[in-house]
Amino acid sequence: MNQNILVVYKSKTGFTKKYAEMIGEELDCKTADLNNVTDSMMSEYDTIVFGGRFHAGFVDGLKKAKKYFKRSSAAKLVVFATGATPHTAKAMIEEAWKNNFTAKELESIPHFYMPSGLCYERMSLGDKLMMKVFVAMMKRKKNNNEDEKNISQAISHSYDISSKEYIMPLISLLRGE
């Protein structure tokens, strides 16, 4: 087992955990839920990979993960986010990253987006309502651009487009390829 990398995740509906496990399997390294991680645990590894879902423009758990990382002796942090936004909506994804990182962090912390999907069955009531309101707003909006139309259609129901292909850029980075 690779003792140099720890994959930490915060998962609400299972998509981020699924990607974390794919990454862990591909790199033969340990995965752990953020709720079970401490800064001293992170100190046992050289590289921390953190994953969380994009939720209202922010990566769930990232503040806590960055705090732990800064207090640890781990040398490198890599971040991935999952979500319902199509991977082709690059401008929207870049804007979301700006909500989560300072300009310096955007340059120094490798970050990756992995489209996953939605699982209304595992969402909290508040999240379900928020998504339904967003869908209704998008449908009422006139002159939606192509990304907005695709998002509106995609988020109207549960689906899973998680794919191993989306982890490969992160894997390549960590393997030094």
Side-chain angles (χ1 to χ4, degrees), residues 1-2 14 26 58 67 88 110 114 118 128 139 146 152 157-158:
M1 177 167 279
N2 184 336
E26 189 69 26
F58 293 92
K67 180 175 79 173
T88 54
M114 300 173 189
L118 288 172
K128 286 179 187 177
K139 286 182 179 177
E146 202 59 36
S152 179
H157 59 280
S158 294

Side-chain angles (χ1 to χ4, degrees), residues 36-54:
N36 302 322
V37 172
T38 63
D39 49 352
S40 60
M41 182 179 176
M42 284 186 178
S43 292
E44 298 173 22
Y45 299 87
D46 296 328
T47 300
I48 305 301
V49 176
F50 175 75
R53 68 177 177 153
F54 270 134

Side-chain angles (χ1 to χ4, degrees), residues 30-88:
K30 182 176 177 162
T31 62
D33 187 300
L34 180 63
N35 293 324
N36 302 322
V37 172
T38 63
D39 49 352
S40 60
M41 182 179 176
M42 284 186 178
S43 292
E44 298 173 22
Y45 299 87
D46 296 328
T47 300
I48 305 301
V49 176
F50 175 75
R53 68 177 177 153
F54 270 134
H55 184 254
F58 293 92
V59 179
D60 269 356
L62 182 58
K63 283 184 181 183
K64 183 176 182 180
K66 286 195 300 187
K67 180 175 79 173
Y68 286 177
F69 174 77
K70 286 177 184 173
R71 293 192 317 216
S72 79
S73 61
K76 183 175 189 171
L77 176 64
V78 177
V79 175
F80 72 91
T82 62
T85 302
H87 72 281
T88 54

Side-chain angles (χ1 to χ4, degrees), residues 1-7 20-30 47 49 167 170-177:
M1 177 167 279
N2 184 336
Q3 298 295 320
N4 296 320
I5 300 171
L6 173 64
V7 180
E21 289 173 346
M22 280 188 228
I23 294 164
E25 184 177 312
E26 189 69 26
L27 296 172
D28 190 29
C29 64
K30 182 176 177 162
T47 300
V49 176
I167 71 168
L170 184 149
I171 300 298
S172 293
L173 171 86
L174 294 175
R175 287 184 176 155
E177 297 172 350

Side-chain angles (χ1 to χ4, degrees), residues 153-170:
Q153 183 177 4
I155 66 174
S156 62
H157 59 280
S158 294
Y159 66 96
D160 182 355
I161 59 167
S162 304
S163 172
K164 190 174 178 179
E165 75 179 276
Y166 297 122
I167 71 168
M168 296 318 290
L170 184 149

